Amino acid sequence: MEGISLEELQLAARNHGMPLEALRYPVTPVGLHYLLIHYDVPAVEAEGWRLAIGDRSYSLDELRGRPAAEHTVTMECAGNGRARLEPRPVSQPWLLEAVGTARWRGTPLAPLLEETDIPEGTVEVLFTGLDRGVEGGEEQAFQRALPLEEALRGEVLLAYEMNGAPLPPQHGFPLRLVVPGWYGMTNVKWLSRIELLDEPFGGYQQSWSYRVRQSEEEAGEPLRRMQPRSLLVPPGIPEFLTRARVLDAGPCVLRGRAWSGWAPIERVQVSVDGGESWADAQLGRELDARAWRGWSWEWDATEPGEYVICSRATDAAGNVQPVEPPWNLKGYSNNSVERIQVTVRGR
Ligand SMILES: Nc1nc2c(c(=O)[nH]1)N[C@H]1C(S)=C(S)[C@@H](COP(=O)(O)O)O[C@H]1N2
Ligand SMILES: [Mo]
């Protein structure tokens, strides 16, 4: 496989993942939540900032004064798993760690849209961030649109708090969109403007990026909801460079979390022989229908030797994680099962 370039390393160093041991927390501490910023974190002062919706506009205090809701939401970048594809699409080289769960508090979007008297013929709602950059040779603000019926779902929030504190700059201060179930790019940060469109948005992040296709000639399918995935809290201790795991022989409880943007997680299976045989894990309590589900499985790791540990999620819509990575041009939604090399050592 071709090596990671300095340019990709530069992206990876800016846009950090969630260390997988943080899967132990049901709600990810803010600094451990993954981060993806296409351009720069924009300079924004709360004072003077306003959100335009159609021909109205709101200050942060006005939005904070409206009815509030809080949801615990698992968010995952659509590029998670990209670096494991072959050939490897050149972009932010995520392995598995582009995920996190936060308590997002804000005001529901639907009533704000309804107050603007949605014009007949509206098909999409466009969200524009304050950050600007150049991508694919085009200067742009980060912009994404949602179909009107999705934007009107009651759980869609304009969030001003993350885990009980004001949004930090890197996660979209002062306001971001939160659309439970959808891949990360949907959740536009540093919001400045919301517009109602009478035709589908054709901007770069909609019609060129975030589409599943095999070649540049294909239009492809737009990415929407998160495919199911399960990840393990890595057992034992890691070797510094390779991160291969070493575990003392004996009974061991394997734990992890699983999520899907399509339907609730129905089943998680675990394998300690690289996917030859599977056993059902026990599902934990549901935190929030919009968040990952914890699971555990008792592994009788008494026999020293080499093991490859995997876990696999199935959702109630019947989506199952594949074993082989689903390749596509830009490396999106590679939800193939994780494999962790573990050496069980005798005492
Ligand atoms: N304005 C703006 N919003 C954005 C982005 C961005 O670069 N600019 N990145 C998107 C992508 S690709 C992802 S995966 C999520 C990441 O959110 P987080 O950094 O809060 O985890 O934000 C989305 N919202
Ligand atoms: Mo992303």
Side-chain angles (χ1 to χ4, degrees), residues 46-305:
E47 209 171 303
W49 174 91
R50 292 186 80 79
L51 172 71
I53 306 185
D55 52 16
R56 302 184 182 214
S57 91
Y58 302 84
S59 69
L60 188 56
D61 283 344
E62 285 166 340
L63 293 169
R64 283 180 162 275
R66 294 181 60 92
E70 185 171 84
H71 301 310
T72 302
V73 179
T74 294
M75 193 182 288
E76 182 186 21
C77 180
N80 203 13
R82 174 183 290 130
R84 295 187 179 274
L85 294 173
E86 267 190 75
R88 185 170 53 77
V90 173
S91 185
Q92 167 73 26
W94 294 123
L95 294 164
L96 287 166
E97 60 295 274
V99 66
T101 294
R103 287 191 292 113
W104 301 103
R105 184 177 181 82
T107 192
L109 173 64
L112 279 160
L113 292 179
E114 278 151 3
E115 283 168 31
T116 67
D117 297 324
I118 302 166
E120 189 79 24
T122 299
V123 293
E124 284 188 354
V125 183
L126 178 62
F127 301 87
T128 302
L130 285 164
D131 48 332
R132 293 188 68 78
V134 180
E135 200 170 345
E138 247 180 73
E139 184 175 329
Q140 56 192 290
F142 187 87
Q143 288 184 301
R144 287 276 310 175
L146 266 183
L148 180 63
E149 66 277 13
E150 281 295 328
L152 289 175
R153 269 166 55 215
E155 61 184 16
V156 173
L157 294 181
L158 297 181
Y160 44 72
E161 280 183 14
M162 180 184 190
N163 296 2
L167 285 187
Q170 68 273 29
H171 290 291
F173 180 85
L175 193 76
R176 82 176 304 173
L177 180 65
V178 173
V179 182
W182 285 53
Y183 275 120
M185 73 289 171
T186 318
N187 304 278
V188 178
K189 303 192 268 192
W190 311 293
L191 269 179
S192 67
R193 201 162 80 232
I194 299 178
E195 293 156 276
L196 300 170
L197 306 183
D198 58 9
E199 57 180 58
F201 176 58
Y204 184 88
Q205 306 296 346
Q206 203 93 24
S207 58
W208 189 252
S209 281
Y210 299 110
R211 302 184 80 90
V212 174
R213 51 198 173 132
Q214 300 299 309
S215 73
E216 303 242 319
E217 290 69 49
E218 258 176 66
E221 281 300 311
L223 285 150
R224 297 171 67 119
R225 292 176 173 273
M226 299 179 291
Q227 293 290 105
R229 190 197 294 277
S230 171
L231 293 177
L232 281 129
V233 177
I237 59 169
E239 198 274 323
F240 169 68
L241 187 60
T242 61
R243 302 205 59 81
R245 316 290 307 182
V246 178
L247 182 68
D248 289 329
C252 164
V253 180
L254 295 177
R255 295 180 196 282
R257 297 188 190 272
W259 64 94
S260 164
W262 296 102
I265 289 297
E266 201 169 65
R267 186 180 195 193
V268 173
Q269 295 160 287
V270 177
S271 172
V272 294
D273 56 12
E276 295 281 313
S277 63
W278 295 91
D280 278 299
Q282 193 174 354
L283 296 183
R285 177 180 73 80
E286 187 181 84
L287 278 177
D288 184 307
R290 306 158 191 89
W292 51 25
R293 187 90 184 258
W295 58 261
S296 61
W297 185 73
E298 282 177 40
W299 180 23
D300 185 25
T302 41
E303 212 35 62

Side-chain angles (χ1 to χ4, degrees), residues 6 24 27 34 45 78 81 154 156 165 180 241 286 294 324 333 339 343:
L6 282 182
R24 70 169 81 99
V27 173
Y34 87 99
E45 300 285 336
V156 173
L241 187 60
E286 187 181 84
E324 289 301 319
S333 68
R339 297 169 64 85
T343 304

